[in-house]
């Protein structure tokens, strides 16, 4: 009897201590939102720049719209010290990384940093290979909330094992840290990213601030991607996305100057519909009102942050006219009418296209015009500008 009681007490009190859920279990239940330095500033990062951007996240209303993570990409680190600890560039970050993280936290934002699974980062700075636990402890002591973990100079390393190792190292610190897998889709991370505790994984090479095409960086060095090339790569991956684990079509180029406002609106609409991380990559300190209004469109952001966590799908393609649909938690749909062509076209979504019986009557709302378009029976069509979208919700 006594032995039974001891066993019961052991089972109830001691065993659960070994089965603690990982500190990262509930991260990124909706796609992460934030800002990252790379797309606009590349290696030109500094304490002043990052603080300025964090201030701008608050002042521009982006924090209010849901943006949280302020992430320094490559080039903050210069070497390792005699104990193997990673050392930040003391000229660019004279106050150290912890002070910067503290500042960002005082604004109610979260702080992210970058490293690489190989020996060196893409810009030749020290990578984390062989220092995974040491770096994770360092990040945790700086109160890092998000790690983007790249894949340059990884040689013959196994991708899955490398990312699993870093997740273990981060979890061992006890601090919840989002893990952003950045191996460009080379080893199909959508098949194993979730299992190794990745919260998002890049599915392609780097985005560039242009509308279309996949292009070699230089002969034999594949590839950078325009917006439509990325959308096409993501189209078939919808079943792998869900709360806590997202396909990542790379960071936003909205506002960086290479596309028209219509194209940027399409870019942002698709990233929302694809349940992509919304990581702005422009200078937030001096945005034109049009750019500000794209990045802070709360109706479009609500589609991205819908708690059901579905990635939208292409449901119709007639030459360069497309219809895309994303199921939302309340049973309604977000719909994009997409015109890839060079002239205005009328594009129609039927209710059957988006998973409803044709006889249904549904309320339609335009998420860019912020306007109810009334009750529609069986279908809805609209004129869509070249390279443009009409983005809707359809609610039976
Ligand atoms: C790779 C990544 C980019 C960026 C750079 C930094 O190219 O895919 O997003 O982090 O490295 O060097």
């Amino acid at each position: 009897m006594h032995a039974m009681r001891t066993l019961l007490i052991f089972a109830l009190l001691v065993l659960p201590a070994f089965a603690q859920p990982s500190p990262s279990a509930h991260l990124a239940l909706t796609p992460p939102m934030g800002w990252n330095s790379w797309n606009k500033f590349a290696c030109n990062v500094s304490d002043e720049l990052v603080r300025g951007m964090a201030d701008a996240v608050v002042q521009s209303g982006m924090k209010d719209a849901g943006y949280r993570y302020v992430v320094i990409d490559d080039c903050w680190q210069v070497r390792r010290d005699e104990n193997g600890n990673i050392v930040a560039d003391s000229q660019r970050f004279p106050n150290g990384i912890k002070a910067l993280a503290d500042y960002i936290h005082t604004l109610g934002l979260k702080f992210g940093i970058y490293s690489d699974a190989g020996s060196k980062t893409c810009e030749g700075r020290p990578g984390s290979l062989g220092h995974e636990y040491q770096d994770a402890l360092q990040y945790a002591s700086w109160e890092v909330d998000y790690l983007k973990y790249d894949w340059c100079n990884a040689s013959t390393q196994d991708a899955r094992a490398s990312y699993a190792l870093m997740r273990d190292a981060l979890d061992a610190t006890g601090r919840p840290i989002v893990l952003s897998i950045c191996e460009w889709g080379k080893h199909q991370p959508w098949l194993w990213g979730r299992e190794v505790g990745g919260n998002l994984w890049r599915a392609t090479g780097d985005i560039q601030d242009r509308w279309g095409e996949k292009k070699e960086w230089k002969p034999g060095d594949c590839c950078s991607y325009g917006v439509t090339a990325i959308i096409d790569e993501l189209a078939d991956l919808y079943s792998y996305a869900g709360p806590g684990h997202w396909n990542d079509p790379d960071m936003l180029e909205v506002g960086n100057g290479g596309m028209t406002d219509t194209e940027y609106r399409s870019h942002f609409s698709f990233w929302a519909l694809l349940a992509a991380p919304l990581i702005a990559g422009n200078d937030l300190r001096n945005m034109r009102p049009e750019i500000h209004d794209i990045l802070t469109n709360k109706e479009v952001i609500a589609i991205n942050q819908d708690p059901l966590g579905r990635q939208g799908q292409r449901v119709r393609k007639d030459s360069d006219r497309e219809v895309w649909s994303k199921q939302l938690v309340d049973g309604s749909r977000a719909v994009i009418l997409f015109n890839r062509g060079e002239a205005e076209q009328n594009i129609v979504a039927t209710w059957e296209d988006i998973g409803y019986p044709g006889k249904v009557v549904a309320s339609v709302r335009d998420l860019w015009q912020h306007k109810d378009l009334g009750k529609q029976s069986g279908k809805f069509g609209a004129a869509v500008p070249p390279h443009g979208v009409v983005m809707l919700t359809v609610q039976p």
Side-chain angles (χ1 to χ4, degrees):
M1 200 50 204
H2 185 71
M4 278 287 282
R5 217 171 59 203
T6 314
L7 201 66
L8 196 65
I9 289 171
F10 182 79
L12 288 177
L13 296 180
V14 181
L15 283 180
F18 292 106
Q20 286 288 322
S22 107
S24 50
H26 300 294
L27 287 170
L29 295 180
T30 60
M33 296 176 65
W35 177 87
N36 173 299
S37 52
W38 183 255
N39 282 356
K40 171 78 182 171
F41 298 97
C43 272
N44 202 10
V45 287
S46 67
D47 180 275
E48 195 191 342
L49 176 88
V50 178
R51 282 178 196 241
M53 224 53 74
D55 290 339
V57 170
V58 177
Q59 282 155 16
S60 64
M62 287 183 67
K63 180 183 176 202
D64 185 46
Y67 294 84
R68 284 292 176 280
Y69 294 95
V70 175
V71 183
I72 320 178
D73 208 280
D74 207 347
C75 302
W76 62 269
Q77 65 285 69
V78 283
R79 61 181 176 88
R80 290 194 181 273
D81 69 15
E82 60 282 6
N83 297 318
N85 294 316
I86 192 75
V87 177
D89 184 327
S90 60
Q91 274 173 356
R92 288 175 173 269
F93 296 91
N95 309 308
I97 301 296
K98 176 69 165 72
L100 178 56
D102 287 348
Y103 180 73
I104 288 170
H105 288 141
T106 62
L107 299 177
L109 300 173
K110 290 181 179 286
F111 176 60
I113 211 161
Y114 163 100
S115 188
D116 187 290
S119 54
K120 287 189 171 140
T121 71
C122 297
E123 289 294 326
R125 310 305 172 93
S128 289
L129 179 62
H131 295 272
E132 292 84 359
Y133 278 76
Q134 186 173 17
D135 284 354
L137 280 170
Q138 180 75 84
Y139 304 151
S141 77
W142 288 338
E143 298 190 52
V144 164
D145 304 298
Y146 182 113
L147 174 68
K148 174 174 168 182
Y149 203 44
D150 214 340
W151 191 242
C152 277
N153 305 299
S155 176
T156 58
Q157 279 172 246
D158 180 74
R160 182 188 168 120
S162 301
Y163 285 98
L165 177 62
M166 190 41 110
R167 169 47 83 203
D168 288 348
L170 295 172
D171 283 353
T173 70
R175 187 173 174 83
I177 299 179
V178 170
L179 177 60
S180 158
I181 295 177
C182 178
E183 59 75 82
W184 323 308
K186 288 216 156 179
H187 305 88
Q188 300 181 290
W190 45 89
L191 298 179
W192 46 264
R194 178 185 187 183
E195 219 175 302
V196 304
N199 300 109
L200 53 153
W201 47 80
R202 284 272 298 278
T204 69
D206 290 8
I207 192 169
Q208 276 199 326
D209 186 14
R210 63 165 188 269
W211 179 240
E213 293 178 310
K214 179 174 168 180
K215 283 189 195 162
E216 290 189 321
W217 294 102
K218 52 185 188 299
D221 182 7
C222 185
C223 283
S224 73
Y225 288 70
V227 162
T228 60
I230 293 193
I231 292 171
D232 289 338
E233 296 279 338
L234 265 276
D236 295 333
L237 300 180
Y238 56 85
S239 66
Y240 300 106
H245 50 97
W246 311 100
N247 292 306
D248 176 7
D250 206 356
M251 302 167 296
L252 296 162
E253 291 283 10
V254 175
N256 280 336
M259 290 181 253
T260 66
D261 289 348
T262 298
E263 291 169 340
Y264 281 142
R265 225 168 277 123
S266 301
H267 173 18
F268 194 74
S269 302
F270 267 100
W271 265 233
L273 189 103
L274 294 168
L278 295 180
I279 310 289
N282 59 318
D283 190 340
L284 307 178
R285 298 167 304 185
N286 51 18
M287 290 185 275
R288 287 188 291 115
E290 291 81 356
I291 297 302
H292 170 271
D293 292 353
I294 293 173
L295 289 172
T296 59
N297 183 329
K298 290 187 183 172
E299 294 197 62
V300 173
I301 290 171
I303 302 306
N304 177 260
Q305 295 290 303
D306 181 75
L308 187 63
R310 290 280 170 87
Q311 175 173 324
Q313 292 168 246
R314 178 160 38 207
V315 295
R316 172 177 291 277
K317 178 166 178 63
D318 296 323
S319 157
D320 50 17
R321 293 187 300 261
E322 297 181 5
V323 178
W324 292 66
S325 171
K326 179 188 201 283
Q327 190 184 336
L328 304 176
V329 71
D330 66 355
S332 64
R333 304 285 189 265
V335 173
I336 289 181
L337 310 176
F338 180 35
N339 179 3
R340 286 182 184 248
E342 303 302 325
E344 183 178 287
Q345 311 195 69
N346 200 59
I347 302 181
V348 177
T350 71
W351 288 181
E352 272 118 358
D353 287 340
I354 61 174
Y356 297 133
K359 59 175 188 261
V360 156
V361 176
S363 305
V364 175
R365 180 169 173 83
D366 187 312
L367 305 186
W368 286 107
Q369 287 185 46
H370 305 295
K371 203 166 130 195
D372 287 329
L373 302 177
K375 292 207 182 295
Q376 307 286 337
S377 183
K379 63 180 189 225
F380 179 80
V384 186
H387 296 191
V389 297
V390 168
M391 190 167 186
L392 310 162
T393 48
V394 178
Q395 180 153 39

